[in-house]
Amino acid sequence: MSTEHPAPSKSQAAYDWIKLRIARREYSPGYRLVLGSLAADLGMSVVPVREALRQLEAEGLVTFERNIGARVTMVDESQYRYSMQALAILEGSATGLAAPALTPADIARARELNRRMAESFDHFDPVAFTELNHEFHAALYAPCPNRRLVELVNAEWARLGTLRSSTFDFVPGRAQESVAEHDEILRLIETGAPAAEVESAARRHRSATLDAYLDHEREVGRLT
């Protein structure tokens, strides 16, 4: 029996290709996504590219404007705030539901990622820290039995990637607090705390990062 995985569809390949360039800021907010040019770059017809753009539109990463076409969604502060608030609710719920299914290996992996985050403080790279942070949280919510909830969490993480390369660029001091809160979430999971308690801790953790960022923005506003 063959164990080869089927090749992704053309629309999925186009989706992955465009989304990666949005995440890397090669296609920055406001960048015009010309259907014909994208199709030529990808070596495919415009049909799968159009499907990919519609999927990215559904995730909030692309906006279609009348008489203009598709653009990478513009950034404003309310979008960032709303995505962080949504992620606090969604990721908290997914983590709480996933907690009973986490294996010792899952927890060990999360601890290793958190250790690497702590070790990065001496040569702090906000973007690299954010990538490790995402891996840490994904390790905890991935076993959530509600797969639609996992899809929504992943979509909000992707959306945040287009809004801010890293929140820790603005509030680097929040990084150490974040690592300590990760340890507490892991402690709750390891000791068999109720799912609601794990959910609440994960939600507070996400909300605290948003609060730190908003405090920073208010302080900048007072100084300018």
Side-chain angles (χ1 to χ4, degrees):
M1 182 185 300
S2 173
T3 59
E4 293 183 3
H5 296 289
S9 67
K10 287 187 176 181
S11 62
Q12 183 63 44
Y15 166 87
D16 292 339
W17 190 86
I18 298 168
K19 186 173 183 178
L20 178 62
R21 280 152 182 77
I22 293 174
R24 289 176 174 172
R25 297 298 181 103
E26 293 176 30
Y27 297 162
S28 58
Y31 183 90
R32 188 179 176 198
L33 298 164
V34 180
L35 198 59
S37 297
L38 292 172
D41 288 341
L42 283 158
M44 59 179 66
S45 73
V46 298
V47 175
V49 177
R50 184 182 294 111
E51 291 174 358
L53 291 178
R54 288 300 181 187
Q55 186 176 350
L56 290 164
E57 180 190 27
E59 295 179 8
L61 301 180
V62 167
T63 302
F64 279 85
E65 299 178 15
R66 187 181 182 88
N67 299 323
I68 295 176
R71 289 186 185 274
V72 177
T73 301
M74 295 295 290
V75 175
D76 65 44
E77 292 305 317
S78 64
Q79 290 180 26
Y80 173 77
R81 183 170 69 253
Y82 295 153
S83 276
M84 285 289 281
Q85 289 170 343
L87 189 57
I89 295 168
L90 296 168
E91 188 177 80
S93 180
T95 303
L97 289 171
L102 288 167
T103 67
D106 293 329
I107 295 172
R109 178 168 180 268
R111 283 206 177 280
E112 171 61 16
L113 289 164
N114 206 40
R115 183 190 65 77
R116 289 168 59 190
M117 293 169 73
E119 287 182 347
S120 73
F121 293 152
D122 290 339
H123 305 283
F124 190 64
D125 179 339
V127 174
F129 186 89
T130 295
E131 291 173 355
L132 287 172
N133 187 46
H134 186 192
E135 288 186 56
F136 171 87
H137 286 287
L140 297 186
Y141 69 69
C144 173
N146 186 326
R147 303 317 297 170
R148 176 56 181 157
L149 185 55
V150 172
E151 289 176 5
L152 291 171
V153 174
N154 288 335
E156 284 305 321
W157 266 103
R159 181 167 171 74
L160 279 174
T162 69
L163 299 174
R164 294 284 181 276
S165 59
S166 174
T167 303
F168 299 101
D169 266 327
F170 304 92
V171 285
R174 170 67 189 146
Q176 293 189 15
E177 297 172 355
S178 185
V179 166
E181 289 164 11
H182 288 173
D183 281 334
E184 174 60 15
I185 293 169
L186 288 170
R187 184 193 68 79
L188 290 172
I189 293 171
E190 286 183 308
T191 57
E197 191 173 345
V198 174
E199 175 181 351
S200 180
R203 186 179 297 192
R204 287 196 307 271
H205 167 67
R206 179 66 54 205
S207 296
T209 298
L210 173 59
D211 290 343
Y213 174 79
L214 294 177
D215 287 344
H216 164 81
E217 289 300 287
R218 283 191 287 269
E219 181 64 23
V220 170
R222 284 195 291 269
L223 296 175
T224 57

